[in-house]
């Protein structure tokens, strides 16, 4: 199990372990896929890991007939708005942290570092109280506002570290030309931080898209249901119709799979940058 | 310019942190009037056998999760950092579980572990056809395995990144001295990964304290109370039994234990979390 750089000896033990783990990863994913294509009546008869003898998309139809499109759109709205707003406000705050030399800027950053350590589970009861008091219970805003808040610390941290790399002279030359802080932010900071915004944006999108506790506690009706919660309620609703439940699982992961294919590097570096989470 | 971030974060993250302490001192059913309770909730939680069992289960779950995830992700990460030609492909596939929501993973394993229609029948393996999620003696171990399925990919990534940071010269020098792969692993790789091990283990430990979604969908805390860990106990107490005050006590215990563990682990090993961040 050593690093094999320049070493010609094959690492047999490591390879065996890695292929076993690959099987552990792939078998459940393969199972989701083949079961979603299996007709419901064959589910009880056929070997669960065999390729379906009468492969069909019927299970997907049953899912789509049950409001899945609405849940999907709810998830899209919640994810898009949460990520966009958290990126915008965090970038503004990161700019303040990087530019200011005073007590305020330094401590703002410290608070953000502490914020990363706050688990959602610990705050959920007061968050529920606040949302009810604001009259937002069972609305999409009830999901968006806390999602933004809990995305801010890590986003601020990553963006601040990134902005620190921008040479001081760039800011100075714009200021010499009489640019306001806002103008510097829009014209200089936003274009330069695009890679960091993409990295943290993809990561936060994954977090919000798959989030379960906020929807479970802060929404109730099917008009505000988002995807992870819909999977759970499908499991109760469809019960024995396992192919339909797993078809919903496939549909739920498709956008993230697409994001992974398009932006694999961003997602991987976002995850490792998010180590503090 | 920092105001919007401060207001949002302060209102929905900082205020709740103090709010949960305040709520632990009141009676509230989630809808009606709030009334002062003093330390009643604390006494009730301390005396409740279900909550005490939840705390014990959380400790057990955390230890089992670390014992399972740490060695596997360390070995996989070190292997993937090597020069095997197919390791890029393996790394790409290893990542896949991270794309699934906990709800999706839990639903998949519920079906896959079904004693009558699951993988046991597929492979015709008697031992695989046990009532995994219905047996109180097995359920917690199944939970540990499924959590590992979700999070080992993440920790593998951390170890892969950490191993890549180790200077190659160290390996070359030791080979000159005649050290074999096993000796290199124990004398170079492991010591050089010290900070990575601390970071990863801290995250595993703190993560294990707060696992909720996965266990909630997979077992709902059952069978009986066999997998009712602290976060689950908190949710069920607050949002099913409508005892928000008592649930707040449990939430506070979670925060305090989590902070203590992460501070403690970092103190013991003298490592700083910022080190690992800069690796990324």
């Amino acid at each position: 199990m050593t690093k094999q750089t320049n070493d010609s000896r094959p690492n047999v033990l490591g390879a065996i372990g890695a292929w076993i783990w690959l099987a552990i990863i792939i078998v459940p994913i393969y199972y989701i896929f083949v079961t979603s294509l299996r007709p419901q009546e064959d589910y009880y008869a056929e070997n669960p890991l065999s390729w379906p003898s009468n492969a069909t998309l019927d299970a997907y139809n049953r899912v789509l007939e049950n409001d899945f499109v609405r849940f999907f759109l709810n998830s899209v709205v919640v994810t898009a708005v949460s990520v966009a707003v958290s990126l915008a406000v965090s970038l503004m705050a990161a700019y303040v942290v990087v530019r200011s030399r005073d007590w305020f800027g330094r401590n703002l950053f410290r608070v953000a570092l502490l914020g990363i350590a706050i688990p959602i589970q610990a705050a959920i009861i007061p968050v529920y109280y606040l949302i009810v008091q604001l009259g937002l219970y069972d609305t999409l805003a009830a999901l968006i506002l806390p999602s933004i808040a809990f995305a801010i610390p890590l986003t601020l941290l990553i963006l601040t570290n990134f902005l620190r790399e921008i040479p001081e002279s760039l800011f100075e030359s714009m200021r010499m030309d009489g640019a306001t802080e806002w103008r510097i932010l829009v014209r200089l900071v936003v274009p330069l931080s695009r890679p960091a915004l993409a990295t943290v944006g993809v990561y936060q999108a994954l977090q919000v898209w798959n989030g379960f506790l906020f929807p479970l506690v802060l929404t109730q009706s099917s008009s505000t249901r988002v995807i992870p919660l819909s999977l759970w309620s499908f499991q109760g609703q469809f019960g024995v119709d396992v192919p339909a439940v797993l078809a919903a699982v496939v549909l739920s992961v498709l956008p993230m799979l697409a994001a992974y294919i398009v932006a694999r590097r961003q997602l991987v570096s976002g995850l490792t940058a998010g180590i503090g989470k | 310019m920092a105001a919007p971030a401060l207001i949002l974060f302060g209102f929905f993250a900082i205020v709740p942190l103090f709010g949960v302490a305040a709520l632990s001192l009141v009676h509230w059913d989630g809808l009606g009037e709030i009334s002062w309770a003093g330390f009643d909730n604390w006494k009730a939680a301390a005396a409740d056998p279900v909550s005490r069992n939840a705390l014990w289960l959380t400790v057990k779950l955390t230890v089992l999760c670390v014992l399972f995830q740490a060695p596997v992700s360390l070995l996989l990460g070190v292997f993937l950092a090597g020069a095997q030609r197919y390791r890029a492909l393996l790394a790409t596939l290893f990542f896949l579980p991270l794309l699934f929501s906990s709800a999706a993973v839990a639903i998949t394993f519920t079906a896959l572990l079904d004693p009558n229609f699951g993988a046991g029948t597929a492979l015709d393996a008697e031992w695989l056809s046990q009532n995994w999620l219905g047996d109180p003696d097995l359920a917690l171990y199944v939970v540990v395995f499924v959590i590992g399925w979700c999070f080992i990919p993440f920790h593998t990534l951390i170890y892969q990144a950490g191993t890549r940071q180790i200077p190659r010269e160290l390996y070359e020098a030791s080979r000159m001295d005649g050290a074999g792969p096993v000796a290199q692993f124990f004398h170079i790789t492991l010591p050089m990964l010290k900070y990575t091990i601390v970071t990863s283990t801290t995250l595993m430990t703190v993560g294990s304290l707060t696992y909720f979604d996965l266990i909630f969908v997979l077992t709902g805390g059952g069978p009986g109370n066999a997998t009712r860990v602290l976060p689950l106990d908190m949710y069920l107490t607050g949002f099913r039994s409508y005892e928000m005050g008592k649930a707040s006590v449990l939430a506070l215990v979670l925060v305090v234990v989590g902070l203590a563990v992460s501070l403690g682990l970092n103190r013991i090993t003298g490592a700083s979390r910022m080190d690992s961040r800069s690796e990324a």
Side-chain angles (χ1 to χ4, degrees), chain A residues 180-221:
Chain A
T180 61
E181 294 290 322
W182 281 103
R183 202 178 150 77
I184 297 177
L185 183 74
V186 174
R187 286 294 165 84
L188 179 72
V189 176
V190 172
L192 282 177
S193 24
R194 250 189 218 138
L197 288 172
T199 298
V200 68
V202 174
Y203 171 76
Q204 298 293 11
L206 182 70
Q207 299 298 316
V208 178
W209 182 268
N210 285 338
F212 187 80
L213 188 59
F214 284 147
L216 177 70
V217 169
L218 303 175
T219 65
Q220 184 177 38
S221 54

Side-chain angles (χ1 to χ4, degrees), chain B residues 49-135:
Chain B
V50 175
S51 296
R52 284 158 71 158
N53 185 49
L55 187 61
W56 162 237
L57 279 179
T58 301
V59 172
K60 201 169 156 190
L61 180 82
T62 305
V63 172
L64 289 173
C65 278
V66 171
L67 286 179
F68 174 43
Q69 293 180 34
V72 175
S73 27
L74 172 68
L75 294 178
L76 287 174
V78 170
F79 179 73
L80 285 186
Q84 291 76 18
R85 239 174 250 134
Y86 51 88
R87 89 190 133 70
L89 174 73
L90 282 180
T92 308
L93 294 172
F94 279 1
F95 191 89
L96 291 176
L98 292 170
L99 301 174
F100 288 82
S101 64
S102 306
V105 174
I107 286 168
T108 303
F109 276 94
T110 307
L112 198 56
L113 294 173
D114 188 290
N116 299 314
F117 308 107
T121 52
L123 305 171
D124 206 16
E126 194 75 33
W127 68 274
L128 252 176
S129 298
Q130 303 190 53
N131 191 5
W132 294 105
L133 293 166
D135 185 337

Side-chain angles (χ1 to χ4, degrees), chain B residues 20-45:
Chain B
V20 76
L23 283 174
S24 77
L25 300 173
V26 302
H27 288 300
W28 183 42
D29 64 4
L31 292 169
E33 291 293 302
I34 294 182
S35 64
W36 181 252
F39 283 96
D40 285 2
N41 294 317
W42 287 84
K43 286 177 200 148

Side-chain angles (χ1 to χ4, degrees), chain A residues 1-7 9 11 14-15 18-19 21-22 24-25 28-29 31-32 43-44 47-49 89 92-93 95-96 104 108 111 115 118-119 121-131 134 145 148-150 152-153 157 181-182 185 206 210 212-213 216-217 228 231-232 235 242 245-246 249 253 256-257 260 264 267-268 271-273 275-277, chain B residues 1-2 4-6 8-9 11-13 16-17 19-20 23 28 30 34 75-76 78-79 82-84 86 90 92-101 103-104 107-112 117-118 121-123 145 149 152 154 157-158 163-164 166 168 171-172 175 181 184-185 199 203 210 212-213 216-217 234-235 239-240 244 247-248 251 255 273 276-277 280:
Chain A
M1 317 269 163
T2 42
K3 193 171 154 123
Q4 289 287 304
T5 356
N6 300 336
D7 196 335
R9 266 171 305 185
N11 181 353
W19 289 103
W21 187 253
L22 183 67
I24 293 175
I25 298 275
I29 295 175
Y31 170 76
I32 299 171
Y43 171 73
Y44 297 102
N47 184 320
L49 293 179
V89 299
M92 281 152 58
Y95 179 63
V96 171
F104 179 70
L108 189 62
V111 172
I118 304 178
Q121 287 81 348
I124 190 66
I125 296 170
V127 167
Y128 166 77
Y129 176 80
L130 291 170
I131 291 291
L134 291 170
L145 288 170
I148 296 169
F150 279 88
I152 286 174
L157 175 84
E181 294 290 322
W182 281 103
L185 183 74
L206 182 70
N210 285 338
F212 187 80
L213 188 59
L216 177 70
V217 169
L231 294 178
W232 180 57
Q235 195 188 25
V242 177
V245 178
L246 293 181
V249 168
V253 82
M256 293 303 114
L257 197 63
Y260 183 52
R264 195 170 78 86
L267 196 51
V268 172
L271 265 172
T272 33
I275 275 176
K277 195 90 179 170
Chain B
M1 246 188 251
L6 263 181
L8 276 164
F9 176 68
F11 193 70
F12 286 104
L17 211 53
V20 76
L23 283 174
W28 183 42
I34 294 182
L75 294 178
L76 287 174
V78 170
F79 179 73
Q84 291 76 18
Y86 51 88
L90 282 180
T92 308
L93 294 172
F94 279 1
F95 191 89
L96 291 176
L98 292 170
L99 301 174
F100 288 82
S101 64
I107 286 168
T108 303
F109 276 94
T110 307
L112 198 56
F117 308 107
T121 52
L123 305 171
F145 174 79
W149 193 86
I152 283 175
F154 171 65
L157 269 180
I158 299 181
T163 309
R164 292 229 170 111
I166 303 175
R168 248 178 227 191
Y171 291 98
E172 277 152 26
R175 202 165 42 242
Q184 284 184 336
F185 177 75
T199 308
L203 291 174
T210 53
F212 170 79
D213 333 11
F216 180 73
V217 181
M234 179 204 77
Y235 173 81
F239 295 94
R240 291 288 168 84
M244 293 294 183
S248 300
V255 181
R273 294 169 76 191
S276 52
R277 266 205 203 96

Side-chain angles (χ1 to χ4, degrees), chain B residues 134-167:
Chain B
D135 185 337
D137 294 328
L138 290 176
L140 191 71
Y141 297 97
V142 176
V143 166
V144 170
F145 174 79
V146 180
I147 290 175
W149 193 86
C150 292
F151 291 97
I152 283 175
F154 171 65
H155 293 282
T156 303
L157 269 180
I158 299 181
Y159 279 114
Q160 189 187 4
T163 309
R164 292 229 170 111
Q165 305 276 319
I166 303 175

